[in-house]
């Protein structure tokens, strides 16, 4: 497999009893790519992402992340990735700097390295004055920026973002995406799920899942052409209409 390929799946499948949540998915993601992983509620995105992060074993098929086998080397994968989701994120009752130190420690960084990088990060985010602020009292958009920064603090090869910008306005989302571009420019691969179609437009390539299968995968430009649509929203609606699975 080429070194440029950081995520690879072949017929990756997850069943819960007789129900097939993820049904033979095949795709590759390249280094530094911003890959959008779309699908209606219940399409199977979270289940697929959990397998890729080494948190859940596939029923059948193969998957490699950062060169490691998702079946046999889940611990290696966990060390090579960053993860941010709306549900699992910062500790609200800890201060800004405490959250940074906690997560950097979990990701295995050394104390002196953490201290040095924390200063750089606070400055970059214009957060120096908020060092001792409890995360609970930050606006949601700031929390999301901090959570993303923390998820890539250890410079992982790949970061998985599960609906990272839920609940904020388009202008704040746009600022968040500036940070995503910057990380991708440094070679970090971005794997992102979202329900916002403006964000789908920002991705290099987008896959769309319907009932556990990947029904379309291409650049936003090509998908719009293929589905004769003027926006990703229209592409998404055309595909999602076929879904039998309703949540
Ligand atoms: P959402 O956008 O709502 O998070 P999703 O695309 O991430 O949706 P999944 O959470 O992966 O979808 O769920 C896919 C399907 O698998 C759903 O029908 C869900 O009910 C089912 N499912 C997920 N986890 C389990 C489980 N542990 N046991 C049984 N069924 C499950």
């Amino acid at each position: 497999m080429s070194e440029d390929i950081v995520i690879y799946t072949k017929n990756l499948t997850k069943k819960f009893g007789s129900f097939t949540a993820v049904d033979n998915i095949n795709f590759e993601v390249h280094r530094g790519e911003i890959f959008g992983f779309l699908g209606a509620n219940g399409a199977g995105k979270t289940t697929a992402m959990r397998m890729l992060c080494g948190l859940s074993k596939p029923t059948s098929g193969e998957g490699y992340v950062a060169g490691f086998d998702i079946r046999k080397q889940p611990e290696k994968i966990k060390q090579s990735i960053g993860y941010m989701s709306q549900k699992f994120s910062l500790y609200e009752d800890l201060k800004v700097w405490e959250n940074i130190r906690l997560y950097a420690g979990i990701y295995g960084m050394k104390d002196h390295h953490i201290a040095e990088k924390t200063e750089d990060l606070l400055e970059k985010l214009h957060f120096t004055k908020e060092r001792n602020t409890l995360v609970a009292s930050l606006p949601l958009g700031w929390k999301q920026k901090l959570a993303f920064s923390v998820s890539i603090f250890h410079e992982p090869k790949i970061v998985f973002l599960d609906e990272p910008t839920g609940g904020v306005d388009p202008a704040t989302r746009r600022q968040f995406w500036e940070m995503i571009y910057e990380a991708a420019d440094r070679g970090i691969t971005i794997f992102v799920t979202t329900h916002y179609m403006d964000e789908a437009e920002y991705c290099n390539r987008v896959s769309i899942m319907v009932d556990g299968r990947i029904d379309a995968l291409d650049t936003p430009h090509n998908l719009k052409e293929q589905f004769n649509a003027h926006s990703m929203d229209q592409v998404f609606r055309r595909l999602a209409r076929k879904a039998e699975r309703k949540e």
Side-chain angles (χ1 to χ4, degrees):
M1 204 184 309
S2 140
E3 286 227 338
D4 182 47
I5 295 173
V6 292
I7 301 177
Y8 169 85
T9 72
K10 190 170 172 205
N11 298 332
L12 189 65
T13 297
K14 180 78 182 187
K15 294 189 179 184
F16 296 110
S18 60
F19 176 73
T20 307
V22 173
D23 191 359
N24 279 287
I25 59 171
N26 295 285
F27 65 95
E28 291 167 0
V29 181
H30 301 98
R31 183 170 182 273
E33 190 170 25
I34 303 174
F35 189 83
F37 201 58
L38 272 53
N41 290 340
K45 303 178 298 292
T46 304
T47 306
M49 200 187 245
R50 283 178 56 78
M51 288 192 281
L52 295 175
C53 293
L55 298 170
S56 154
K57 284 240 183 300
T59 311
S60 58
E62 292 173 51
Y64 291 84
V65 170
F68 299 114
D69 186 332
I70 61 172
R71 280 175 183 283
K72 297 183 188 139
Q73 299 167 293
E75 292 309 318
K76 295 265 185 209
I77 291 174
K78 285 178 209 158
Q79 288 159 18
S80 312
I81 63 171
Y83 180 73
M84 170 192 170
S85 86
Q86 257 194 297
K87 290 155 211 142
F88 173 78
S89 203
L90 302 170
Y91 285 90
E92 298 265 321
D93 53 353
L94 291 182
K95 293 172 182 169
V96 166
W97 75 267
E98 290 171 328
N99 267 283
I100 299 173
R101 194 184 60 179
L102 176 73
Y103 279 101
I106 291 172
Y107 283 126
M109 287 173 67
K110 300 270 178 294
D111 281 352
H112 68 278
H113 195 194
I114 297 174
E116 207 177 277
K117 266 197 103 176
T118 299
E119 293 315 307
D120 294 347
L121 175 62
L122 291 174
E123 242 169 70
K124 197 170 123 199
L125 292 175
H126 306 293
F127 263 35
T128 314
K129 282 198 197 124
E130 311 299 336
R131 172 196 310 271
N132 290 312
T133 305
L134 285 183
V135 162
S137 56
L138 293 176
L140 181 59
W142 291 28
K143 281 184 203 168
Q144 290 170 341
K145 280 189 198 170
L146 181 62
F148 177 65
S149 303
V150 164
S151 73
I152 58 166
F153 198 66
H154 59 304
E155 295 288 325
K157 293 204 169 93
I158 306 162
V159 64
F160 288 88
L161 308 174
D162 196 359
E163 294 181 35
T165 56
V168 299
D169 59 89
T172 309
R173 291 210 296 272
R174 191 75 195 98
Q175 286 173 14
F176 186 91
W177 275 78
E178 296 295 335
M179 298 178 74
I180 291 188
Y181 282 124
E182 204 187 287
D185 281 346
R186 291 209 309 275
I188 299 179
T189 303
I190 314 285
F191 186 97
V192 57
T193 73
T194 179
H195 284 293
Y196 297 118
M197 291 302 132
D198 56 331
E199 295 190 333
E201 306 268 359
Y202 303 152
C203 296
N204 299 131
R205 283 189 308 146
V206 167
S207 88
I208 301 178
M209 263 183 119
V210 179
D211 292 346
R213 294 178 307 274
I214 292 183
D215 262 18
L217 198 170
D218 214 324
T219 62
H221 174 86
N222 289 351
L223 286 173
K224 283 183 268 187
E225 222 168 62
Q226 185 187 338
F227 289 89
N228 195 18
H230 56 73
S231 66
M232 281 303 293
D233 192 42
Q234 233 179 15
V235 173
F236 187 77
R237 281 167 199 276
R238 287 194 180 151
L239 279 165
R241 209 185 289 146
K242 306 192 303 194
E244 286 167 15
R245 227 181 253 180
K246 303 281 180 214
E247 284 287 288

